[in-house]
Amino acid sequence: EPEVTQTPSHQVTQMGQEVILRCVPISNHLYFYWYRQILGQKVEFLVSFYNNEISEKSEIFDDQFSVERPDGSNFTLKIRSTKLEDSAMYFCASSDFGTGTYEQYFGPGTRLTVT
Amino acid sequence: LAKTTQPISMDSYEGQEVNITCSHNNIATNDYITWYQQFPSQGPRFIIQGYKTKVTNEVASLFIPADRKSSTLSLPRVSLSDTAVYYCLVGDYNAGNMLTFGGGTRLMVKP
């Protein structure tokens, strides 16, 4: 069964450093997303991406965040200058169109630890 | 988006049927009801989706009464591996729309 993959599984960085989280969505999917989950809290939407542009973003997704689809397979989330409060599990997801369900396929996540 | 209310936690034993009810009094005409499952340190996983009446797949059943103000996720004969957080989501989730997760129901299955 096709699946979303994410790398790295765990990233430790120092406050103020830039990090890039990588995702490979399911190959024929058209919509891509990033969510995050701070330990013990809800899954929160960050951004959605379609047709090479952001289609929706939350208040969390400020100027420190950016997304990119640099080639036909990867989808990346960049945090320019990490803060302690960016420590969380970051999930990439992708979805198809016209399947009749509103199913998003989530990756296993990248645990980001900012020290 | 319709606000959802579901129990914070539930306990069950292996082999039992588990029913998790979600209340969504303000559901809109175009809203669908979708359930996701999340294991510790993993991403959420779609379980089932419905609009009205009953939907069944290989994993679960979803019961939706005629007024659609609530829904019940039914897991038949749970096992230890069904221990997870279950989220009820309600919305007009067109393709590309974000999902809004609440706190979910933490199901603990005991031997």
Side-chain angles (χ1 to χ4, degrees):
Chain A
E1 183 178 323
E3 59 183 19
V4 175
T5 59
Q6 291 185 242
T7 55
S9 57
H10 191 188
Q11 173 93 45
V12 181
T13 189
Q14 288 190 325
M15 196 167 50
Q17 295 296 304
E18 174 184 286
V19 294
I20 298 176
L21 309 183
R22 291 183 166 80
C23 167
V24 179
I26 293 173
S27 63
N28 61 338
H29 284 185
L30 302 174
Y31 299 89
F32 315 113
Y33 316 82
W34 284 100
Y35 294 80
R36 79 171 187 191
Q37 186 174 31
I38 295 171
L39 186 64
Q41 297 188 23
K42 300 177 189 179
V43 177
E44 301 173 290
F45 168 78
L46 294 178
V47 65
S48 59
F49 193 85
Y50 170 71
N51 200 25
N52 284 317
E53 61 182 28
I54 291 173
S55 46
E56 199 169 7
K57 61 182 180 179
S58 71
E59 291 179 353
I60 302 169
F61 194 87
D62 61 21
D63 293 344
Q64 292 299 312
F65 292 87
S66 63
V67 289
E68 192 178 29
R69 188 156 164 81
D71 53 43
S73 59
N74 291 285
F75 181 51
T76 62
L77 174 69
K78 182 193 289 187
I79 309 174
R80 288 189 183 81
S81 179
T82 51
K83 308 183 188 72
L84 293 176
E85 54 264 37
D86 292 328
S87 293
M89 197 78 161
Y90 287 81
F91 296 108
C92 173
S94 67
S95 68
D96 200 350
F97 177 79
T99 61
T101 71
Y102 303 129
E103 179 174 3
Q104 293 183 14
Y105 293 77
F106 284 77
T110 292
R111 181 172 299 284
L112 177 64
T113 303
V114 182
T115 61
Chain B
L1 290 171
K3 179 177 162 54
T4 59
T5 303
Q6 50 183 125
I8 293 173
S9 64
M10 292 180 69
D11 287 344
S12 182
Y13 290 93
E14 282 191 291
Q16 290 189 332
E17 178 184 79
V18 170
N19 296 308
I20 306 174
T21 296
C22 178
S23 170
H24 29 80
N25 290 319
N26 296 324
I27 190 168
T29 304
N30 294 334
D31 287 346
Y32 279 72
I33 300 153
T34 310
W35 286 79
Y36 277 76
Q37 172 192 55
Q38 186 181 26
F39 297 114
S41 298
Q42 293 188 29
R45 183 176 76 106
F46 173 91
I47 302 175
I48 198 165
Q49 176 189 295
Y51 184 79
K52 60 181 179 181
T53 62
K54 177 184 174 182
V55 180
T56 297
N57 62 22
E58 64 277 5
V59 176
S61 295
L62 179 59
F63 299 92
I64 306 167
D67 66 5
R68 304 202 325 123
K69 293 183 184 301
S70 67
S71 58
T72 300
L73 175 74
S74 181
L75 305 172
R77 296 181 301 281
V78 293
S79 64
L80 296 176
S81 62
D82 292 315
T83 294
V85 179
Y86 292 83
Y87 299 97
C88 166
L89 287 74
V90 173
D92 182 10
Y93 291 119
N94 290 315
N97 281 8
M98 66 180 204
L99 298 176
T100 300
F101 289 84
T105 297
R106 188 171 299 276
L107 173 66
M108 173 70 74
V109 179
K110 302 174 182 177

